[in-house]
Amino acid sequence: MNDEVFEIIKQEEKRQSEGLELIPSENYVSANVLQAMGSVLTNKYSEGYPGKRYYGGNENVDQIETLAIERAKQLFNADHANVQPHSGANANEAVYFAWCKPGDTILAMSLPAGGHLTHGSPVTRSAKIYNFIGYGVTASGDIDYDELEKLALDNEPSLILVGYSAFMKIPDFGRVKSIADKVSQQSGHEVLLMADMAHVAGLIAGKVHPNPLDHGFQVMTSTTHKTLRGPRGGLIISKGKVGNPLKKCEHKLENIPTLIDRAVFPGTQGGPLEHIIAAKAVAFQEDLQPEFRDYAARIIKNAQTLANELRDLGFELQGGGTDNHLLLVNVKSSFGFDGKIYEKALDLVGLTLNANALPTDKGGAFRPSGVRLGTPAITTRGLGEAEMKQIANWMKRVADICAESQEESALDNYNEELATIRDEVRELALAFPVPGI
Ligand SMILES: *Cc1c(COP(=O)(O)O)cnc(C)c1O
């Protein structure tokens, strides 16, 4: 095949092989997951759900989607799973749509505190439909539960959401459950407790992080491509009565599984991506293996080793460190430059991460004070403690360059030194092959 697309894919394989992926929301899938994604299942229309389709010829697809559903339920101890959301954002929108009426209040972690765009950022469609209110974090980086409780009792939300993309603690799900119970009592309406575990779902599956469904939460959304190490996609699991998704049902918490099915299709999506659902099923089977528990534990160990090394080298960490796979480094307070120049300079040496605002940053996140990084991808490649030390050292050498240059344009003056570090990163990266390449 000589389409230039395949040449570019080869270049991407090279980029992934020669660099180290520190973006905490990325990972490397197995060869089996890749194979399922690239299958003829993409040719098939299968609107509806297993056994209840609007098209013929779904006997194989039904088996595949059922496997994905059963495996997801087993992974998270759930009554129900919907494996059709095309992305984490779609999964979240579907849950809001399943439970909330236009104008309803949703209480979620604010974006600057570490929440996600889909949790009420004014640029999203959801924010135009629902009334989002944001809670924050304390100086030590934990959820401000007192603020959460006050906001909940003052505003009586119909949905309380715990979820984040830049938060390094373990949430106290039980405490949020007791707050929701108080709101229910005071307001007389049921409150849906939703956890968006897009980042830490793999840690939950690996039993190294508490499962919100075991602590009174009824719904959990996730991506499947982050720590779960599956194809790019979304997932919704829940507790409750599983009904017929083709039939209307009463707006009650116990019916949430059916309300969710109806909200995904036909509520917010069309035909499911069955090649992706097959890849989800393959990934979930991998996630159920004992080796995956070991992987999840190593993610956290690596993150904590990296955090300790960075701290020793003068990096200030939001929340003082991490209890999960994520680190948020305040490079502004540590060394006086912003996250953007650091992201750029690290890119030049083959260390990929993203600039990120800190809860204390004022104004837009255009020149954020920090960078966010994490260990899921490099742990998949097999890097361990010794390599974390090496990465911290490279990060310090690049930080020294940024501190001297201050301007992105002035990084050119350090080409030689950056190239030396680039060679060192490439050599280490190539010793830990990317799965599936
Ligand atoms: C990544 C993420 C999402 C969005 O997932 P997409 O697949 O990119 O739409 C939603 N919520 C949280 C907390 C995330 O970290």
Side-chain angles (χ1 to χ4, degrees):
M1 250 175 291
N2 54 12
D3 189 318
E4 64 184 313
V5 164
F6 295 100
E7 204 33 60
I8 302 169
I9 292 175
K10 278 268 169 273
Q11 286 305 313
E12 176 61 10
E13 287 181 354
K14 183 167 183 301
R15 187 194 70 82
Q16 292 190 13
S17 294
E18 294 185 352
L20 292 177
E21 189 52 73
L22 298 173
I23 295 176
S25 47
E26 295 192 11
N27 214 329
Y28 305 103
V29 299
S30 69
N32 281 348
V33 170
L34 278 178
Q35 195 184 343
M37 262 190 276
S39 68
V40 295
L41 291 163
T42 192
N43 298 337
K44 189 74 201 92
Y45 242 118
S46 43
E47 282 176 337
Y49 290 98
K52 300 177 182 67
R53 305 284 187 184
Y54 290 85
Y55 288 81
N58 275 301
E59 60 271 25
N60 301 313
V61 156
D62 276 2
Q63 289 180 56
I64 281 171
E65 189 166 340
T66 303
L67 273 178
I69 290 168
E70 291 307 317
R71 290 172 181 178
K73 280 161 58 179
Q74 195 187 336
L75 264 183
F76 297 106
N77 186 28
D79 297 327
H80 179 260
N82 188 305
V83 295
Q84 293 190 3
H86 302 331
S87 70
N90 286 36
N92 287 346
E93 279 211 50
V95 176
Y96 305 151
F97 185 67
W99 185 246
C100 302
K101 295 183 296 299
D104 273 11
T105 297
I106 298 176
L107 180 58
M109 186 184 281
S110 72
L111 190 59
H116 190 258
L117 272 175
T118 57
H119 301 170
S121 164
V123 297
T124 61
R125 172 169 55 178
S126 302
K128 297 199 168 24
I129 302 174
Y130 312 108
N131 170 39
F132 281 90
I133 296 180
Y135 57 86
V137 290
T138 62
S140 69
D142 207 352
I143 290 174
D144 190 339
Y145 293 98
D146 294 333
E147 183 192 23
L148 195 165
E149 175 157 359
K150 184 168 186 330
L151 287 170
L153 291 170
D154 288 351
N155 296 283
E156 300 182 344
S158 48
L159 192 160
I160 299 178
L161 172 52
V162 172
Y164 39 79
S165 308
F167 176 71
M168 281 65 63
K169 308 278 187 200
I170 309 287
D172 185 345
F173 296 113
R175 177 140 184 213
V176 181
K177 163 73 175 152
S178 69
I179 293 170
D181 287 344
K182 281 190 201 171
V183 174
S184 278
Q185 253 173 11
Q186 175 182 300
S187 68
H189 67 240
E190 292 184 311
V191 178
L192 178 64
L193 278 174
M194 165 180 173
D196 176 357
M197 299 286 101
H199 261 270
V200 294
L203 304 181
I204 296 170
K207 313 282 183 219
V208 293
H209 187 291
N211 180 350
L213 296 192
D214 294 341
H215 294 88
F217 276 58
Q218 232 189 321
V219 172
M220 179 180 129
T221 56
S222 181
T223 55
T224 47
H225 50 273
K226 297 181 184 173
T227 47
L228 282 174
R229 220 158 59 176
R232 197 157 285 284
L235 169 71
I236 309 172
I237 60 169
S238 58
K239 293 251 190 202
K241 265 199 326 212
V242 181
N244 180 349
L246 303 190
K247 284 215 186 100
K248 258 194 145 165
C249 69
E250 245 190 302
H251 183 267
K252 279 184 169 171
L253 270 190
E254 62 177 19
N255 290 332
I256 202 75
T258 316
L259 293 167
I260 285 169
D261 277 347
R262 293 175 63 77
V264 172
F265 175 83
T268 53
Q269 289 191 169
L273 313 177
E274 292 295 344
H275 57 307
I276 299 297
I277 290 174
K280 287 176 186 174
V282 172
F284 296 157
Q285 186 67 358
E286 294 175 359
D287 298 348
L288 283 164
Q289 303 311 308
E291 299 82 60
F292 192 80
R293 287 192 189 192
D294 177 53
Y295 165 63
R298 281 187 291 117
I299 291 177
I300 297 180
K301 179 112 194 4
N302 276 343
Q304 292 178 338
T305 303
L306 188 54
N308 289 338
E309 293 297 320
L310 288 171
R311 244 190 338 249
D312 287 350
L313 293 170
F315 288 82
E316 283 177 33
L317 304 183
Q318 163 70 7
T322 185
D323 295 329
N324 56 30
H325 63 299
L326 276 163
L327 278 73
L328 196 52
V329 182
N330 190 337
V331 286
K332 189 90 193 169
S333 68
S334 311
F335 306 111
F337 51 82
D338 65 62
K340 267 287 169 215
I341 179 175
Y342 196 42
E343 172 192 302
K344 170 84 192 300
L346 286 169
D347 227 10
L348 293 172
V349 304
L351 296 174
T352 315
L353 46 62
N354 63 290
N356 209 96
L358 285 139
T360 42
D361 276 357
K362 296 278 174 289
F366 188 61
R367 299 228 69 106
S369 302
V371 292
R372 188 186 67 147
L373 64 155
T375 50
I378 51 176
T379 305
T380 293
R381 280 175 85 166
L383 276 67
E385 212 164 327
E387 290 78 28
M388 295 308 118
K389 290 184 184 160
Q390 182 61 64
I391 290 171
N393 275 309
W394 285 323
M395 286 179 65
K396 178 62 164 69
R397 280 159 70 190
V398 174
D400 290 342
I401 292 173
C402 290
E404 275 184 43
S405 66
Q406 288 293 332
E407 298 281 336
E408 256 166 67
S409 53
L411 284 175
D412 284 350
N413 302 329
Y414 300 86
N415 277 342
E416 214 172 306
E417 205 174 337
L418 289 167
T420 305
I421 303 174
R422 180 72 190 96
D423 289 341
E424 293 174 21
V425 171
R426 183 183 297 111
E427 191 186 336
L428 182 116
L430 289 173
F432 294 90
V434 171
I437 294 186

